[in-house]
Amino acid sequence: SQKIEQNSEALNIQEGKTATLTCNYTNYSPAYLQWYRQDPGRGPVFLLLIRENEKEKRKERLKVTFDTTLKQSLFHITASQPADSATYLCALERRGGYNKLIFGAGTRLAVHP
Amino acid sequence: EAGVAQSPRYKIIEKRQSVAFWCNPISGHATLYWYQQILGQGPKLLIQFQNNGVVDDSQLPKDRFSAERLKGVDSTLKIQPAKLEDSAVYLCASSSGTGYPDSPLHFGNGTRLTVT
């Protein structure tokens, strides 16, 4: 069956460092992948989208890569700040799935001053 | 633009009672989703509407859950009767949908349901 895996353990990093979060998937051939941020008590907020024919996407301090051979996406936050502390979710669209997104469990990021 | 509105924000009920959640999507968004998010897990899709038609309800427990989207705008999700395992946050999301298959989802802040 289709599976999406994100690091279940929280990622703790120092302010100013680069945070790297991983999203792996199996039994899946998504047309695109999206990353969302979720703060406690709030709904997820869209950050970035990357399509299967794109290797990398950037937006300000954020960078996403998509390796369809490894079936993996990496999400990077450079020059991290305490305000970046949140849970980050990856979501994959099932090919031909009418924009139906399947979410991973998310990775909690804590950036310490 | 105004975001996705959901109500109520919190709800506590006893098992076997019924409950309803309401969602008003972003104006003009054709696609509406209901997700269930259990603590520590990612959102799980329950049902997806395109305008007022159901696109996918394969993971909706239809013996107790029902949803409707009247006139292709607002939507309600109902649980009757509730079970303890229904305790979760129920998230509504919308996207522009038609013509934009990869458009991002805009989420409301959810309804936190506790079943005792």
Side-chain angles (χ1 to χ4, degrees):
Chain A
S1 63
Q2 297 159 341
K3 209 173 189 181
I4 303 171
E5 290 182 350
Q6 294 187 254
N7 290 350
S8 57
E9 292 184 11
L11 178 63
N12 291 282
I13 64 167
Q14 280 307 115
E15 182 176 8
K17 300 292 187 184
T18 296
T20 299
L21 287 71
T22 305
C23 177
N24 294 300
Y25 58 93
T26 57
N27 298 325
Y28 226 148
S29 294
Y32 57 84
L33 184 152
Q34 299 182 11
W35 282 88
Y36 288 77
R37 167 183 174 143
Q38 187 171 27
D39 291 285
R42 309 294 296 268
V45 175
F46 171 76
L47 296 174
L48 278 169
L49 177 151
I50 187 165
R51 296 182 178 83
E52 59 179 336
N53 61 347
E54 297 174 321
K55 296 293 185 189
E56 182 180 297
K57 206 77 165 289
R58 291 176 185 263
K59 179 183 175 183
E60 298 172 353
R61 295 185 296 112
L62 309 180
K63 184 179 85 171
V64 173
T65 62
F66 193 7
D67 189 325
T68 55
T69 302
L70 291 179
K71 294 187 180 294
Q72 179 181 81
S73 174
L74 298 178
F75 177 81
H76 306 273
I77 306 176
T78 58
S80 59
Q81 305 165 2
D84 296 325
S85 299
T87 295
Y88 291 85
L89 302 162
C90 73
L92 279 67
E93 192 270 354
R94 197 173 66 191
R95 192 182 295 274
Y98 249 87
N99 203 30
K100 172 182 173 179
L101 286 182
I102 310 298
F103 282 82
T107 298
R108 190 162 57 86
L109 172 67
V111 181
H112 302 283
Chain B
E1 63 181 3
V4 176
Q6 289 189 248
S7 67
R9 192 78 172 89
Y10 304 93
K11 191 74 178 178
I12 301 174
I13 61 172
E14 295 181 353
K15 60 184 178 184
R16 291 188 289 274
Q17 287 187 324
S18 63
V19 64
F21 313 125
W22 173 83
C23 172
N24 182 239
I26 291 174
S27 178
H29 277 192
T31 309
L32 185 146
Y33 311 77
W34 283 102
Y35 281 86
Q36 179 193 58
Q37 187 173 26
I38 293 172
L39 188 65
Q41 300 182 17
K44 170 189 164 187
L45 180 67
L46 293 176
I47 189 166
Q48 177 181 350
F49 293 94
Q50 183 81 9
N51 296 308
N52 59 349
V54 175
V55 172
D56 188 327
D57 63 356
S58 57
Q59 297 196 87
L60 186 73
K62 298 181 187 63
D63 57 335
R64 299 185 300 106
F65 286 63
S66 65
E68 60 181 5
R69 189 182 185 194
L70 298 176
K71 300 180 181 177
V73 182
D74 292 9
S75 178
T76 55
L77 176 69
K78 297 178 182 177
I79 307 175
Q80 182 181 12
K83 292 185 175 182
L84 294 177
E85 59 259 37
D86 297 332
S87 294
V89 174
Y90 291 84
L91 294 163
C92 178
S94 69
S95 70
S96 54
T98 306
Y100 299 92
D102 57 2
S103 53
L105 272 58
H106 299 260
F107 283 86
N109 286 327
T111 297
R112 180 177 296 278
L113 173 67
T114 302
V115 182
T116 62

